Amino acid sequence: MVEVKEVRTKRQLRKFVDFPNKLYADCEQYIPSLYADDLADWNPKRNPAFEYCEAKCYLAYRDKKIVGRIAAILNHRANEKWQTKRMRFSQVDFIADFEVSSALFAAVENYAREKGCTEVHGPLGFCDMDREGMLVEGFEHKSMFITYYNHPYYIDHLTRLGYAKDVDWVERRIEAPDDEKILGMISKTANYVIKRLNLHIADIRRQSQYGKYVMQVFRLLNIAYAPLYSTVELTERQIKRYARKFGPLINPQLTCFVMNEKNEMVAFGIAAPAMEDALKKCRGRLFPLGWYYVLRALHKNDAMDLCLIAVHPKLNGIGVNAIILDHVLKGVREMGIKYAETGPMLETNHKIQAQWKYFKSVQHKRRRCFIKNIEAKPERS
């Protein structure tokens, strides 16, 4: 018999966060997330998203052993913006047993009905900066540290539970270009756009120089990402939180801030040396020795993760992204990086995907947001 309990204590929360590390202990493709960050996500005092979200975490037990987990997030701002009544499910993991997955989703659906929701969708986080999407293609490939990994059987379980595709994201693996003709063309386009629009690249050579640009990055992110699936505007407190979280991983050679004549940011691209192997070795824990692996990965690496890119909507389609690509490619060559992986890109976002047409790349992963209409009458658990 499966029993689902709401997480109410710190000890239970630690078990909730650590469960996937145990479930995927022998899975080469699974990459642990940062344990401390995942704990902080569920602490209302540390996660500003609780200013407009409600959330619950659940653990599934059989014979006193944890066999699954799931979280439910009610994002009031998202529902207001998109005119929906949806509950999000998040951080879901379970053993290959339908009784377990059924019990977990029943808990979320019942909570959703209590809150007046008519649909459940996910996996999604509190906001677009959190991990989202369930892997449906590319199980043989190593996950990124900013994405989920899951077993193929998850899809069968969700389908059986009545969940269907709402939207997909795709990811690409890109080879570092060595074709001088293509590199020259990108550089020529970048220089032309810079002169034509009177733009310039912020001169950043040290981590300490990022501070004055952080707020501009996320304010532009709010504008550029506003039309994308289920996004909500980040608050000032959230911006500061994510800046602290991801800032230390940024490398000046792989990051580009494009400014106009008023020194206002109009575009940016942020990449970082791949952290997957480092996090695998330290199991997502930075102490006591995790920092050593992370710092080594930051300075000696042949792979990078493409984290974020944005162009102000007023400058879309006129080559501004070439400025970012040209700058980052110079860093790629200097650092000896051989390939890059993109984060999840909406399959309908053709503009972002079109920028890889000049590179040797392959779509190697696909992840999905599932959705289900739920009945008004609660089910018995």
Side-chain angles (χ1 to χ4, degrees):
M1 180 178 176
V2 175
E3 182 181 11
V4 175
K5 297 180 181 179
E6 182 182 345
V7 172
R8 296 183 180 276
T9 67
K10 292 182 179 179
R11 184 169 181 267
Q12 289 173 324
L13 183 59
R14 287 194 292 269
K15 291 182 177 180
F16 176 90
V17 169
D18 198 43
F19 176 70
N21 296 327
K22 298 182 183 300
L23 181 65
Y24 293 98
D26 299 321
C27 179
E28 183 181 348
Q29 293 83 5
Y30 169 77
I31 300 299
S33 58
L34 285 169
Y35 180 77
D37 286 344
D38 274 10
L39 279 177
D41 281 345
W42 304 106
N43 185 342
K45 294 181 180 179
R46 298 186 63 186
N47 186 354
F50 277 95
E51 294 171 2
Y52 58 86
C53 290
E54 298 177 59
K56 288 187 177 183
C57 299
Y58 300 93
L59 286 169
Y61 293 83
R62 177 184 283 147
D63 299 328
K64 298 183 179 180
K65 180 182 178 182
I66 297 174
V67 290
R69 70 167 190 170
I70 197 169
I73 300 172
L74 180 56
N75 188 318
H76 293 289
R77 281 192 178 178
N79 281 331
E80 290 169 7
K81 175 181 176 179
W82 299 100
Q83 295 296 296
T84 55
K85 295 181 179 179
R86 292 178 172 179
M87 178 72 70
R88 300 177 173 197
F89 71 85
S90 185
Q91 296 193 18
V92 58
D93 291 289
F94 46 85
I95 64 171
D97 187 317
F98 186 70
E99 184 184 8
V100 175
S101 58
S102 179
L104 287 168
F105 278 92
V108 172
E109 291 168 16
N110 288 337
Y111 176 50
R113 293 186 186 95
E114 291 173 12
K115 289 295 181 177
C117 297
T118 58
E119 295 174 304
V120 174
H121 70 151
L124 294 165
F126 289 92
C127 70
D128 196 53
M129 291 295 292
D130 297 332
R131 287 166 291 165
E132 54 192 10
M134 182 173 289
L135 193 65
V136 295
E137 294 176 8
F139 300 100
E140 70 276 22
H141 298 293
K142 190 184 300 181
S143 182
M144 299 172 72
F145 86 96
I146 59 172
T147 59
Y148 289 116
Y149 184 83
N150 55 266
H151 287 307
Y153 64 77
Y154 283 32
I155 307 163
D156 298 330
H157 285 231
L158 264 76
T159 301
R160 188 174 170 187
L161 288 166
Y163 286 81
K165 172 185 173 179
D166 197 24
V167 70
D168 276 8
W169 294 268
V170 295
E171 300 171 41
R172 303 192 74 87
R173 180 183 171 99
I174 305 166
E175 292 184 26
D178 56 7
D179 188 325
E180 295 297 335
K181 184 177 180 180
I182 291 177
L183 292 169
M185 180 183 65
I186 294 172
S187 184
K188 184 177 180 180
T189 302
N191 291 332
Y192 171 77
V193 175
I194 285 175
K195 292 178 181 178
R196 179 188 171 197
L197 300 179
N198 195 21
L199 304 175
H200 65 277
I201 296 173
D203 184 20
I204 298 176
R205 302 178 187 182
R206 298 183 303 277
Q207 282 263 343
S208 59
Q209 294 177 281
Y210 281 116
K212 64 180 181 180
Y213 296 101
V214 166
M215 299 305 288
Q216 289 197 63
V217 166
F218 284 98
R219 285 169 184 155
L220 177 55
L221 187 81
N222 278 337
I223 295 170
Y225 283 30
L228 301 183
Y229 180 82
S230 205
T231 56
V232 291
E233 185 173 313
L234 297 172
T235 66
E236 298 288 298
R237 287 187 63 212
Q238 282 181 292
I239 289 173
K240 291 177 181 178
R241 180 177 185 242
Y242 287 112
R244 289 193 300 269
K245 182 176 180 178
F246 295 111
L249 304 180
I250 295 174
N251 186 305
Q253 291 175 283
L254 304 177
T255 297
C256 180
F257 298 154
V258 183
M259 320 297 290
N260 64 16
E261 67 277 8
K262 297 179 182 179
N263 217 34
E264 300 167 332
M265 190 175 295
V266 295
F268 69 82
I270 298 175
M275 291 291 108
E276 287 71 39
D277 290 342
L279 290 176
K280 188 78 170 179
K281 289 177 181 177
C282 69
R283 296 182 298 170
R285 288 160 167 81
L286 294 180
F287 298 99
L289 299 176
W291 275 111
Y292 167 77
Y293 297 115
V294 170
L295 289 173
R296 189 170 67 174
L298 286 172
H299 294 95
K300 188 176 182 181
N301 211 318
D302 66 350
M304 72 175 182
D305 294 335
L306 301 174
C307 303
L308 292 170
I309 186 169
V311 177
H312 197 286
K314 292 181 179 179
L315 298 180
N316 270 333
I318 54 176
V320 175
N321 62 322
I323 302 172
I324 299 169
L325 291 175
D326 182 50
H327 178 86
V328 173
L329 284 172
K330 290 174 181 175
V332 164
R333 301 188 87 179
E334 291 172 1
M335 295 178 65
I337 288 173
K338 297 178 181 178
Y339 69 90
E341 287 202 52
T342 71
M345 304 173 290
L346 282 168
E347 64 177 352
T348 55
N349 191 346
H350 303 298
K351 289 181 179 178
I352 191 68
Q353 294 184 56
Q355 65 187 342
W356 312 121
K357 62 184 178 181
Y358 297 112
F359 301 89
K360 292 180 182 178
S361 69
V362 59
Q363 179 195 310
H364 65 318
K365 298 177 198 168
R366 178 182 292 268
R367 56 188 65 250
R368 179 163 297 163
C369 180
F370 289 86
I371 192 166
K372 178 183 179 179
N373 292 319
I374 56 175
E375 298 175 359
K377 185 177 180 180
E379 300 175 356
R380 292 183 180 180
S381 56

